[in-house]
Amino acid sequence: MIDRNETASEALRDWLETTLNGTDAAFEVQQQIAPRVGAHLRDDRAEVIFWTPELLEQRVPSGDVFLECLQPDSTPDLTRARQNIRFTRTWIAMDRVHDYSCVSIDGMDAGTRDRIGTFYRLAWRDAAGDWHHILDPMAWSLPFGAFAPAEFYDVEGMLAARTDGDYWTQRREDEVTKFGPPVNIQQIHVPTATAGGTLASLTALYERLAEKVAAGAELEPAEELFAGYDAVQLLPVEPTTVYEAGPAFWEEEDHGSDSLTVDLTRPDTTNWGYDVVIAGMGTVNPVLLESGRPDELLDFACALHNFPRPKKLVLDVVFGHSDNQGTNVLNSNWFAGPNMYGQNMNYRHPTVRALMLEMQRRKVNFGADGVRVDGAQDFKWWDPEVEAMRHDDEYLQSMSDIVQQVAGTSYRPWFVFEDGRPWPQEDWELSSTYRAVIEGQRDPDVFQWGPLTFAHNTPFLYGFWLSKWWRIREILNHGSNWISGCANHDTLRRGTQVDTKLNVNTRLGHTRMEILDKAYDNPAIQLVTYAAFPGVPMDFVNASARASWGFIRNQDDKYGVKVVAEEAISLKWQVDEYSYSLPQSFPRLKAMGFEDRESLVRFMEFLPALVEVTDYDLNVIAKLLSEVDPALDGPRPLSVSALKDIARAWMDDMHEYCNVARHHAGLSATQTHFNHQLREFRRDRPWLRDNLGERDRFDYRRPVDGTVLFTSLRHAPDGEQVFMVAHMEGGETGEFDPLRLPIQGLEGFGWEVALRTAQIGSDFVGGPLSLHDSMGLVYTRRPS
């Protein structure tokens, strides 16, 4: 029986009153309260605290505020696509303490891996007798997303059952441990990384890989994709936006005071992870959960930590903004006005500031070793004294100062910030130093994305590498605290949007698909990144697998057609006639009448032009497309609704097309093995992370003569030398001996070939050779 515990409720109310009435500064007070906000299992009771300033603002009497507890009459199956469940409802009166509402309750079931807990939300009644709801943004479990009631969950029990205790014991120190950077990183989008598209399926992949590595078994190319990395960085795993026009995942029919029936839909949105609503940031997006239980993120962390050579987990968090849908689930105090993404967060508000830091703490306590902060340049506030926006670097410092508690170990994770300030200022690419956070934080191990990682890279265009030479020099001199590499979720996406009429490097391949694939999984670029550049290299698995990628989001109703119009050019880069013709490719668009690639391409050539000339008037666009002669393929009649259906089908079909598992058959064993060897080479030489020293050399061969040939000579503290030569773009070099180039320190004997790109062949051990585009070598020499 669910009932209010009067004694515990009074104690909770007294604690809140004492804390709020104390003499500490406002932010310090809110920091004391934040860890207890939400629903927590305390001594077999549920302790519930909501931040409810809107109730004060609307002068809602305390007698009209309740916790609505929803107990399922039958156990929901979180693996089912759809089901109808009846819930018994219990209203529990809550206490009001300033702008908080709280209560302690007996009888609520706490969810576990094997049991569904009681669902809950705050309910309040207005003067007309109408009921309104407030959802819990601090929830531990959201099986039906951030816009549905939360599930009461035994999170402490979940965390106590973790299986990587030895990993944390070995990292424990007397004082708070500060984690440093990994050697390299693999970036992964969970829904497109495996055929299953869930955290559970990704965990299974790493567990199988661990067994083979431990046994010394030979790895298949699809397995080598994931091998040799020191850390895995997941694209955001927080709850995202939902379908703007429905259906909702929680649709209820109210039967009166004691029950309601809910039509439950398993969350199935398609999103690349960055369209967050801030609510629910402390838990896991249910779309990524095969079982619907947040335990899957914990399981994944344990699989990485229990690997034969343990891997680190880096979480990508998005606190810089909220999508506009966030205003439907958070009160207005959370927001500081609109921005280009949706809403600015009200970081200066002491409660918002404290709660957002608490959300971060809860998420990282799943067992993350590091945190990547998305869009750090977007953490800004309006300073009325100077009438200008200021960067909230103090908040960024607070993020990296949080002490985590995992398996008895107190630690501060490694932090990396994506910060390209003064972006989006028009001259950002010229004026950004990519060092604002590094130089402003106290922690010497704070990292930023480097210029070749942050910028919209186009390494498939002639002239790219020499045009970036000034940035490359900055990487060599300042890159020890930068993330390096040319392929990530942003750069690959931007590459697919480039005009195909530009000066494309046709030496990379015979087709646009080959050119794009090789540009972002290029042996020469990998050589430079892993054998020459300082910093921490990062690879995006979709690029390494030569799989497709794009702006994946199917929730848009208002702007979905516009987004697809902007993405349509990727057809020219990532989809050829054969790929489109495969039965598993683009089934929704084919069912709508786009039976072959040409019919879709023709439609997508008209759509972007009409979006621009009509100022995105969907009615006019539909009319004009219907009048094209000869008629376009696709649905008939072509209405606004049909346009939106096409946009939704595009996103869902592209999401499936981008899945890495669909590209396994096209993997090159020689290329995956070469990349794996490079990662092992870097791991054996951690000193390569440091900036170039006085004796180190990095340059390009002069005169260029139509070929950009990079050379690098680096010196280890123990005397080892690493020499690299990489053909970045252009024609054939002509025959030459790399070891006879006029580079100071290269003279003498003792050099051995350590790595060679596949085209060179394993029989080459030295001497003259001719290099073509994307070829290269690494030599090493030990002191005599």
Side-chain angles (χ1 to χ4, degrees), residues 332-354:
S332 61
N333 294 271
W334 286 84
F335 306 108
N339 64 21
M340 63 187 299
Y341 304 112
Q343 297 292 321
N344 291 305
M345 303 311 297
N346 192 11
Y347 306 106
R348 307 300 285 180
H349 191 296
T351 306
V352 173
R353 199 175 186 87

Side-chain angles (χ1 to χ4, degrees), residues 563-772:
V563 172
V564 168
E566 294 170 350
E567 291 289 305
I569 192 175
S570 67
L571 270 174
K572 299 179 180 180
W573 284 110
Q574 298 192 110
V575 186
D576 59 16
E577 193 66 48
Y578 172 74
S579 299
Y580 192 90
S581 71
L582 295 174
Q584 66 269 32
S585 296
F586 302 92
R588 299 166 185 82
L589 288 168
K590 288 175 181 174
M592 299 179 80
F594 302 107
E595 296 182 359
D596 55 41
R597 178 184 177 276
E598 278 310 304
S599 65
L600 180 61
V601 167
R602 184 164 177 255
F603 183 92
M604 291 301 182
E605 285 177 344
F606 281 96
L607 182 63
L610 293 179
V611 164
E612 183 175 350
V613 300
T614 66
D615 197 25
Y616 193 54
D617 187 323
L618 289 177
N619 287 293
V620 177
I621 292 171
K623 180 178 182 297
L624 293 175
L625 287 174
S626 299
E627 296 172 353
V628 172
D629 186 24
L632 296 170
D633 290 333
R636 291 285 182 271
L638 189 57
S639 60
V640 171
S641 177
L643 282 176
K644 292 181 178 181
D645 289 343
I646 292 171
R648 170 73 179 275
W650 165 279
M651 285 297 182
D652 289 334
D653 282 348
M654 278 300 295
H655 179 258
E656 293 174 1
Y657 184 72
C658 291
N659 194 288
V660 168
R662 294 187 53 177
H663 299 263
H664 285 170
L667 290 173
S668 163
T670 54
Q671 180 64 3
T672 57
H673 185 62
F674 171 74
N675 287 343
H676 188 188
Q677 285 182 305
L678 261 178
R679 296 192 287 272
E680 297 295 343
F681 182 87
R682 179 77 172 214
R683 168 173 277 280
D684 292 339
R685 295 162 180 82
W687 55 270
L688 284 170
R689 187 209 127 180
D690 298 332
N691 295 331
L692 268 64
E694 292 183 0
R695 294 191 299 153
D696 294 334
R697 302 288 181 267
F698 190 103
D699 209 337
Y700 61 91
R701 190 178 68 164
R702 295 176 174 86
V704 171
D705 287 338
T707 298
V708 178
L709 194 71
F710 281 179
T711 61
S712 169
L713 177 62
R714 300 204 56 185
H715 297 75
D718 65 0
E720 182 190 24
Q721 293 174 289
V722 173
F723 175 62
M724 178 224 69
V725 56
H727 187 308
M728 307 306 292
E729 60 176 291
E732 186 178 349
T733 61
E735 193 167 274
F736 75 108
D737 187 340
L739 295 177
R740 298 295 179 264
L741 292 172
I743 299 172
Q744 185 179 355
L746 191 62
E747 309 88 352
F749 301 96
W751 289 104
E752 295 182 356
V753 177
L755 294 166
R756 55 183 77 75
T757 53
Q759 305 98 313
I760 295 175
S762 58
D763 57 340
F764 178 81
V765 294
L769 81 168
S770 180
L771 297 180
H772 302 264

Side-chain angles (χ1 to χ4, degrees), residues 767-780:
L769 81 168
S770 180
L771 297 180
H772 302 264
D773 201 312
S774 308
M775 295 171 65
L777 299 116
V778 175
Y779 302 80
T780 59

